[in-house]
Amino acid sequence: KNEVEQSPQNLTAQEGEFITINCSYSVGISALHWLQQHPGGGIVSLFMLSSGKKKHGRLIATINIQEKHSSLHITASHPRDSAVYICAVPPSNAGGTSYGKLTFGQGTILTVHP
Amino acid sequence: SQTIHQWPATLVQPVGSPLSLECTVEGTSNPNLYWYRQAAGRGLQLLFYSVGIGQISSEVPQNLSASRPQDRQFILSSKKLLLSDSGFYLCAWGAYNVLTFGAGSRLTVL
């Protein structure tokens, strides 16, 4: 079973700061999810990436398959970015139905102060 | 476009009472459907997944069951709730390596 570790567990920042959240996993995978959980509990999928880097607005996700590590960056952070950020990985042999059989990190609680 | 609906959003139930959480998907056919749970202070965990009508796979032994009576309907049930069933339940559908989550249902068992 894949072990997924996120760091830090809690992160407090001032508005405008550059944020980095890290995710490491123990078993090689084909792709990795970054999810955002709002204070009310709803979850939004931010990225699914299998190599390199993806960018969406102020969010950037990178992955290094060889090092089994991914990072989520937020540029020019804003109080509305306050949420729990979760990385999740499918089984190493993911395909078809097993793709949703995710192992989740414990989440990083981000608080951005104005 | 594809959408996923999950209800009820919030539920408070006494120990020993039954449970039914429902999830429906629109805009797609034959989706893979998933139920996850997030217990208080813990990470998300996959409970059940389904690849088609009447096909349910369970990931962890528990007090809950799932059913898929229609292609785009996924139901999470219990005959008698336990205190430990409290948590946040999420439905998701997957296709082409993309997962879309419902808004979630927060269950409190008293």
Side-chain angles (χ1 to χ4, degrees):
Chain A
K1 186 180 176 196
N2 221 331
E3 302 291 330
V4 181
E5 294 289 334
Q6 282 184 240
S7 63
Q9 284 190 285
N10 286 278
L11 185 55
T12 301
Q14 289 297 127
E15 184 172 357
E17 287 184 1
F18 182 81
I19 303 291
T20 295
I21 299 170
N22 297 298
C23 176
S24 297
Y25 48 93
S26 58
V27 178
I29 56 169
S30 57
L32 178 145
H33 286 269
W34 278 104
L35 311 171
Q36 180 191 53
Q37 185 170 28
H38 298 290
I43 289 185
V44 174
S45 180
L46 298 175
F47 295 103
M48 192 275 290
L49 69 165
S50 54
S51 66
K53 179 169 74 174
K54 284 191 175 181
K55 185 176 188 291
H56 185 248
R58 295 181 294 106
L59 300 176
I60 303 168
T62 63
I63 189 169
N64 186 316
I65 295 293
Q66 287 73 30
E67 295 186 2
K68 300 185 180 65
H69 180 269
S70 177
S71 293
L72 177 68
H73 306 284
I74 305 175
T75 61
S77 60
H78 190 276
R80 64 174 175 266
D81 296 326
S82 298
V84 178
Y85 292 84
I86 304 167
C87 69
V89 300
S92 56
N93 59 347
T97 63
S98 63
Y99 197 78
K101 296 171 69 174
L102 300 174
T103 299
F104 297 86
Q106 76 275 30
T108 295
I109 303 171
L110 172 65
T111 305
V112 182
H113 294 294
Chain B
S1 65
Q2 300 90 357
T3 56
I4 181 167
H5 302 281
Q6 191 179 336
W7 71 92
T10 306
L11 198 59
V12 180
Q13 292 285 106
V15 169
S17 65
L19 171 73
S20 181
L21 301 178
E22 189 162 341
C23 173
T24 59
V25 180
E26 295 177 1
T28 185
S29 59
N30 198 31
N32 295 328
L33 296 172
Y34 307 90
W35 277 112
Y36 301 91
R37 177 172 61 195
Q38 186 177 43
R42 305 187 66 177
L44 284 156
Q45 182 183 37
L46 178 66
L47 300 178
F48 300 97
Y49 69 93
S50 171
V51 302
I53 296 173
Q55 300 179 63
I56 308 294
S57 296
S58 174
E59 286 295 294
V60 294
Q62 60 200 293
N63 183 45
L64 302 168
S65 62
S67 62
R68 187 167 176 178
Q70 300 180 50
D71 181 44
R72 287 171 281 183
Q73 184 184 30
F74 203 21
I75 297 171
L76 185 69
S77 304
S78 173
K79 293 182 179 178
K80 289 185 178 181
L81 284 168
L82 306 172
L83 287 173
S84 57
D85 292 324
S86 292
F88 188 66
Y89 291 83
L90 278 160
C91 177
W93 76 273
Y96 307 107
N97 293 343
V98 176
L99 272 180
T100 302
F101 291 87
S105 300
R106 188 166 301 282
L107 171 65
T108 303
V109 183
L110 301 175

